[in-house]
Amino acid sequence: MTAMAKKFLPVLFALVLAFPLALVPCAVSASPGTIYVPGDYPDIQSAIDAASPGDTILVAAGTYTENVEVNEQLTLTGDVNQPSNVVVDAGGTRSAITLAVDGCVLQGFKAQNGRYGIKLEGSNGNTLTNNIATSNTGAGINLEGSNNNTLTGNHITGNTIGVKIQESDASTTSINFNNIYGNTSYGVDNASGTSVDAENNWWGANDGPSPSPGSGDKVSANVDYDPWIVLGVSSSPASIVADGSSTSTITSDMTINSDGADTSGLGHIPDGTQIIFTTDKGSIGSLQVTKETINGKTTATLTSSTIEETATVTAKAPPYTTVAQDSTTVDFTFGGSLDHFTFDTISSPQTAAVTFSITITAKDQYENTVTSYTGTNTLSDTTTTINPNSTGSFTNGVWTGNVTITKAQTGVTITTTGAGKSGTSNSFDVTAGSLDHIIISPGTASIAAGYSQTYTAEAFDQYDSSLGDVTNDTTFEIVAGAGGSWAANVYTPEEIGTWTVTGTYSGKSGTATLTVIEGVLPPTVSIDSPKDRYSTTDSTVTVEGTVVAIPALSEAPLTVNGKSRTITVSDGAFSKKVTLVKGDNTITVSASNLAGTDSDSITVTVHVPISSGV
């Protein structure tokens, strides 16, 4: 180190200590802001000049006569729902709006009266949506030396050229779901050497752009326009009553393309596209009405006349020529041919044996009443107890009458049939009627002295529809001389013999027979089916047989291939479905008397071939 260097080192060190921040770069960050026109600045250009990259400029409704030049990466938003409210008028010179920077969003503007409505000059990666470009002498939208741009949902009409592409890689740009029509020279003119994606646009004609295949706006070479959006119109229903008040919904649909594909999941033409509906019969508010699309669709309501006739309803999209329209028809009728019957809703529940009213209407395929139908129909229901089982004659296509159903059941439906057509009512419940009698169970029983017998009581109406178990509210007794004792519904006998048991509930009585024997008899078990060595290819078999014992048994053990379960014995009989395996299956039923002093069992073998599908 030289002597002079050593001389200046202390001075340099002192400067560093005194001004440390002067030697360190200062990083300043700013969040994107929002600028309002005319709230913050009177015109759009002034707002742009004051903006920083990433800012959003919101422009209120009005006409702005200026040549807007965007040289910062910004979002410019007018009125995306009604872009005609925010007009940028070029005053007959240059461009209404020029983008000369990358990554901008331009939406909700009407750009007019310039050489170009919207010009992209060396500007990449921009999104232009929900704009109107009209009345420009060069092009509505001009892309010059600009790539990777998206044009969607724009209304481009009344220009010399709709969209012009030059000195650009057109293959990186997409032009979809725009209205491009009424441009005098070209709808899209691609002067680059690569093809541009211009599918699913409305070209002002259902047969597509010109010169081939259609008659809409002309396209140049290197424009991929196929498929394109088409206008369709439909009616629902297609037939209504000619009563001056019945209606059909007419739907204009521009979500289907020329390949017949539904494009609604990809995008849609600009909202607010005006569709003109006209009708030659009836009324859609008048003979003509204009509606605006939302998500590519809009509807009108057609009201019938009072004359039996057919209305033709036409929907036209811009530019409202014969190639930009579609039609549908709606029949006004006094009732077509019989197709089916309908029931007015039957309330639930109904009561067994209590009369209720039903109304049946003859209908055509469009749900219009067939007023000419005067026949008589059969009636049936899912309980098989409806009365009467036929209607009277229909009047003006309608029959109303009273019926009864005498059996209680849930989920009941009534079916009517006439002239080869039928109809079924809604489902409803029928509850039991008033108490008529009770039944004591078991009706016949036999027990040994010293054992007990349990009884139950169930109430019924006059048509044997159950009113439910009434055991807890039933008084039980046995004839004098039988002795024994009752504990609620459980009887313990004393005297040997056959006796009558009586149960009484709400003034209604039922009886049962009880035989009391001396001692306990050993049980006897038999299997009636399947027989021993029975062979089957089925995977299951039902085991049926008897268990005779005194006192009677209510259950017995069942063993299948070593696995035990309990089966129910009712009135000495049992039936149980069991699952089989391939080979020999051993089935055993056994029983012991209540005293446990005697038992009996029987075993059968069921064979399932190894080759079976079990």
Side-chain angles (χ1 to χ4, degrees):
M1 181 178 293
T2 66
M4 183 169 288
K6 292 179 179 178
K7 179 180 179 180
F8 282 101
L9 273 176
V11 177
L12 178 62
F13 183 69
L15 288 172
V16 170
L17 291 177
F19 305 104
L21 295 178
L23 301 179
V24 180
C26 182
V28 179
S29 62
S31 300
T34 301
I35 300 173
Y36 296 89
V37 176
D40 295 326
Y41 293 91
D43 57 70
I44 302 172
Q45 190 63 55
S46 297
I48 293 172
D49 294 342
S52 300
D55 283 354
T56 295
I57 298 176
L58 301 180
V59 183
T63 297
Y64 301 84
T65 303
E66 52 183 311
N67 302 105
V68 175
E69 294 189 8
V70 182
N71 49 23
E72 300 276 9
Q73 186 264 310
L74 302 171
T75 296
L76 277 77
T77 300
D79 187 336
V80 294
N81 296 315
Q82 293 290 340
S84 60
N85 290 339
V86 185
V87 179
V88 181
D89 192 307
T93 64
R94 297 187 292 157
S95 302
I97 303 172
T98 299
L99 302 185
V101 69
D102 298 344
C104 290
V105 175
L106 181 69
Q107 56 188 3
F109 292 92
K110 182 179 182 181
Q112 67 180 32
N113 198 21
R115 175 167 177 76
Y116 304 117
I118 302 169
K119 182 179 181 181
L120 276 64
E121 187 172 15
S123 182
N124 306 307
N126 303 289
T127 298
L128 279 61
T129 182
N130 295 325
N131 300 292
I132 299 173
T134 186
S135 302
N136 298 288
T137 59
I141 300 176
N142 184 62
L143 282 70
E144 185 174 333
S146 300
N147 303 319
N148 294 306
N149 294 294
T150 299
L151 282 63
T152 184
N154 299 291
H155 202 82
I156 308 167
T157 183
N159 309 285
T160 303
I161 298 172
V163 180
K164 176 74 174 180
I165 305 173
Q166 51 191 334
E167 301 176 12
S168 305
D169 182 2
S171 66
T172 65
T173 287
S174 59
I175 306 171
N176 311 117
F177 298 104
N178 302 281
N179 287 340
I180 306 173
Y181 66 90
N183 300 288
T184 56
S185 179
Y186 284 94
V188 175
D189 181 13
N190 181 10
S192 75
T194 56
S195 180
V196 64
D197 173 12
E199 296 181 356
N200 293 320
N201 292 293
W202 169 247
W203 299 98
N206 265 348
D207 56 2
S210 62
S212 176
S215 50
D217 265 25
K218 186 178 179 180
V219 294
S220 70
N222 293 323
V223 177
D224 178 14
Y225 58 81
D226 189 1
W228 57 88
I229 294 297
V230 297
L231 166 67
V233 62
S234 61
S235 57
S236 178
S239 178
I240 56 179
V241 178
D243 57 5
S245 60
S246 294
T247 60
S248 175
T249 299
I250 311 299
T251 300
S252 165
D253 187 351
M254 298 184 75
T255 65
I256 306 300
N257 66 23
S258 55
D259 286 344
D262 184 349
T263 65
S264 56
L266 303 174
H268 56 81
I269 62 166
D271 284 346
T273 299
Q274 293 188 334
I275 304 297
I276 298 176
F277 293 91
T278 59
T279 183
D280 62 348
K281 306 287 192 307
S283 172
I284 44 177
S286 60
L287 293 179
Q288 178 174 304
V289 67
T290 300
K291 296 295 188 73
E292 294 185 349
T293 62
I294 297 176
N295 297 328
K297 295 183 179 182
T298 188
T299 62
T301 300
L302 174 69
T303 303
S304 68
S305 67
T306 57
I307 301 172
E308 197 162 32
E309 57 189 354
T310 297
T312 298
V313 184
T314 300
K316 287 185 177 182
Y320 311 111
T321 60
T322 56
V323 294
Q325 69 179 36
D326 192 30
S327 299
T328 187
T329 59
V330 179
D331 294 328
F332 303 160
T333 71
F334 293 135
S337 58
L338 178 65
D339 181 73
H340 62 282
F341 295 94
T342 62
F343 285 75
D344 284 7
T345 300
I346 300 172
S347 62
S348 181
Q350 298 292 333
T351 302
V354 176
T355 297
F356 61 97
S357 176
I358 61 173
T359 296
I360 305 171
T361 304
K363 296 284 189 177
D364 66 12
Q365 62 176 322
Y366 302 109
E367 295 300 320
N368 300 312
T369 300
V370 182
T371 57
S372 60
Y373 184 72
T374 58
T376 58
N377 288 13
T378 62
L379 294 172
S380 61
D381 79 303
T382 49
T383 74
T384 71
T385 64
I386 192 169
N387 184 56
N389 55 19
S390 63
T391 69
S393 297
F394 279 61
T395 302
N396 294 324
V398 179
W399 178 82
T400 298
N402 293 326
V403 298
T404 57
I405 293 176
T406 56
K407 181 179 180 180
Q409 185 173 300
T410 59
V412 177
T413 57
I414 301 173
T415 298
T416 187
T417 302
K421 306 296 181 180
S422 62
T424 300
S425 74
N426 62 289
S427 175
F428 60 98
D429 296 338
V430 178
T431 58
S434 58
L435 175 65
D436 180 74
H437 61 280
I438 66 172
I439 294 178
I440 307 301
S441 297
T444 302
S446 187
I447 61 173
Y451 291 90
S452 298
Q453 177 64 50
T454 299
Y455 287 94
T456 61
E458 186 175 3
F460 296 86
D461 66 12
Q462 62 176 321
Y463 298 101
D464 289 326
S465 294
S466 176
L467 293 167
D469 185 282
V470 293
T471 302
N472 292 338
D473 297 313
T474 299
T475 300
F476 294 92
E477 59 184 351
I478 197 165
V479 296
S485 62
W486 288 92
N489 59 317
V490 179
Y491 174 68
T492 302
E494 180 179 342
E495 301 295 334
I496 305 301
T498 298
W499 315 102
T500 298
V501 174
T502 301
T504 302
Y505 167 76
S506 292
K508 305 294 182 179
S509 297
T511 61
T513 300
L514 175 65
T515 299
V516 181
I517 62 173
E518 188 172 354
V520 178
L521 298 181
T524 301
V525 181
S526 67
I527 296 179
D528 300 323
S529 175
K531 299 299 184 182
D532 191 30
R533 304 307 302 169
Y534 174 72
S535 180
T536 180
T537 59
D538 293 334
S539 61
T540 61
V541 68
T542 299
V543 181
E544 298 178 334
T546 59
V547 176
V548 179
I550 298 178
L553 300 176
S554 61
E555 58 185 25
L558 167 68
T559 304
V560 180
N561 297 326
K563 294 182 179 180
S564 297
R565 70 201 71 182
T566 299
I567 56 175
T568 299
V569 179
S570 179
D571 291 333
F574 62 85
S575 177
K576 180 71 174 179
K577 180 181 285 189
V578 299
T579 301
L580 305 176
V581 299
K582 291 182 179 180
D584 288 334
N585 294 263
T586 302
I587 301 172
T588 300
V589 178
S590 58
S592 299
N593 63 13
L594 294 178
T597 57
D598 296 286
S599 63
D600 188 26
S601 67
I602 187 168
T603 299
V604 297
T605 301
V606 176
H607 181 72
V608 178
I610 300 298
S611 60
S612 72
V614 173

